[in-house]
Amino acid sequence: DGGITQSPKYLFRKEGQNVTLSCEQNLNHDAMYWYRQDPGQGLRLIYYSQIVNDFQKGDIAEGYSVSREKKESFPLTVTSAQKNPTAFYLCASSIPRMNTEAFFGQGTRLTVV
Amino acid sequence: EDKVVQSPLSLVVHEGDTVTLNCSYEVTNFRSLLWYKQEKKAPTFLFMLTSSGIEKKSGRLSSILDKKELSSILNITATQTGDSAIYLCAIEYGNKLVFGAGTILRVKS
């Protein structure tokens, strides 16, 4: 079955440690996105990528980094520079410029203690 | 600044009520406006709107886009407790998909 897989579902890390969240899709989508969601709020765009080896900063990129070495994969690293990393992280993918909806993974809940 | 603004931010209604959720945006050259429902984890797709004035319906839900007013509404009639969720509006423009802050809807039995 095609879809987007995020792992892990829950992640606990100590303050000051970098952590990488995985996002893999087998939908053959060119575009991939990372969003952050805080309790009771909407989705804020962290990074997005339209093609392999290219990505752009979203609205809240500070303290995060990404790579797009393969079409299927778009991992997000939450660095120690991110001041308030505890949040719910959602990955999405879509076919750009084709007027089709974006599909989401089930999310990773990151808690930094 | 916020490109997509949703209102109200939260809403509590009783079962059977009709609700109207609003989404306004600042971008004029966007490709599509999308509505999603989020209950626990992954948002689920509701509607995609590209043309002004054409209503899209799915059961008790409907949505319409007004490009002149730079806005869209999502209507839910005869609400049920299962409609309780965060409703998210997003616009696709440039190479981005940008969401609003969402409307938290709670339907009381």
Side-chain angles (χ1 to χ4, degrees):
Chain A
D1 279 23
I4 300 180
T5 302
Q6 288 187 242
S7 62
K9 288 184 181 176
Y10 300 95
L11 190 54
F12 294 87
R13 276 294 180 268
K14 289 185 179 179
E15 201 171 322
Q17 287 183 332
N18 290 359
V19 61
T20 297
L21 282 58
S22 170
C23 178
E24 303 276 332
Q25 53 99 358
N26 59 4
L27 299 167
N28 201 31
H29 286 172
D30 286 310
M32 296 187 75
Y33 311 85
W34 272 106
Y35 296 91
R36 170 185 172 134
Q37 186 174 35
D38 292 287
Q41 297 189 28
L43 278 59
R44 290 187 290 167
L45 183 62
I46 305 173
Y47 268 97
Y48 60 104
S49 168
Q50 295 289 301
I51 56 172
V52 175
N53 292 323
D54 189 44
F55 48 83
Q56 285 79 40
K57 293 181 179 180
D59 299 319
I60 56 164
E62 186 175 347
Y64 300 98
S65 65
V66 293
S67 63
R68 188 83 189 276
E69 296 176 4
K70 298 186 298 183
K71 188 176 186 177
E72 314 81 65
S73 179
F74 192 39
L76 174 74
T77 297
V78 184
T79 74
S80 56
Q82 168 50 234
K83 299 298 179 200
N84 185 19
T86 294
F88 186 55
Y89 291 87
L90 279 162
C91 178
S93 73
S94 70
I95 303 173
R97 299 176 295 281
M98 288 294 287
N99 284 347
T100 60
E101 74 268 28
F103 294 83
F104 283 85
Q106 291 299 306
T108 293
R109 189 167 299 281
L110 172 64
T111 302
V112 175
V113 296
Chain B
E1 78 265 9
D2 292 339
K3 293 280 194 286
V4 182
V5 177
Q6 292 187 245
S7 63
L9 290 181
S10 66
L11 189 58
V12 180
V13 300
H14 288 95
E15 270 192 313
D17 288 349
T18 293
V19 298
T20 298
L21 310 183
N22 299 283
C23 176
S24 62
Y25 52 88
E26 296 181 358
V27 180
T28 53
N29 59 337
F30 67 97
R31 270 191 293 283
S32 59
L33 184 145
L34 302 99
W35 284 96
Y36 285 83
K37 176 183 181 182
Q38 185 183 28
E39 293 177 83
K40 292 225 188 298
K41 294 189 176 179
T44 53
F45 171 74
L46 294 175
F47 298 110
M48 171 181 285
L49 304 164
T50 55
S51 301
S52 197
I54 298 175
E55 185 183 52
K56 294 214 171 176
K57 285 185 69 100
S58 177
R60 296 176 292 103
L61 278 66
S62 64
S63 184
I64 195 163
L65 177 64
D66 186 338
K67 285 190 175 181
K68 190 175 175 184
E69 296 296 325
L70 303 183
S71 66
S72 172
I73 60 170
L74 175 68
N75 278 322
I76 308 175
T77 60
T79 51
Q80 302 170 358
T81 55
D83 294 326
S84 296
I86 301 175
Y87 289 85
L88 297 162
C89 172
I91 55 170
E92 187 188 7
Y93 73 98
N95 292 323
K96 297 198 282 190
L97 181 63
V98 176
F99 283 80
T103 293
I104 302 172
L105 174 65
R106 183 175 158 220
V107 181
K108 297 167 73 171
S109 57

